[in-house]
Amino acid sequence: MTVRRLSISVSPEVEEAIRNAAERADLTVSAWLARAAEHVAKIEDGLAAMAEWEAEYGPISPEERRQARQALIEDGVIPPEELKEAC
């Protein structure tokens, strides 16, 4: 696997939070940041896709959103408590 180095700047508070989270996950800071960035990028891609879909077909109804969340729960993509929070 090819990897590339990045240099980032964060406040001391953010640095501490990153280091603590990486330690709790038993990951290096680099691995934790890569995982977090990949996660956020996937969310952003999904939000962009939804905005594109809604621009073409109109807003998704609350019932359609509930059904989509239920399907994600059944597939193990999100935990069951997500459905309760969304309703």
Side-chain angles (χ1 to χ4, degrees), residues 7-83:
S7 175
I8 65 168
S9 299
V10 296
S11 70
E13 296 82 15
V14 172
E15 177 191 11
E16 183 178 352
I18 290 168
R19 289 186 185 282
N20 290 338
E23 186 176 325
R24 284 191 304 273
D26 195 29
L27 295 170
T28 65
V29 167
S30 182
W32 188 89
L33 284 169
R35 186 176 73 173
E38 181 180 15
H39 179 76
V40 171
K42 286 179 181 179
I43 291 170
E44 293 293 328
D45 286 347
L47 292 171
M50 288 304 303
E52 185 177 314
W53 192 92
E54 286 184 321
E56 186 168 340
Y57 300 105
I60 296 173
S61 73
E63 177 58 18
E64 290 168 322
R65 288 181 187 275
R66 191 198 64 74
Q67 290 172 355
R69 281 190 185 89
Q70 184 62 46
L72 292 171
I73 289 167
E74 289 170 6
D75 289 343
V77 176
I78 58 175
E81 45 286 356
E82 288 284 327
L83 185 62

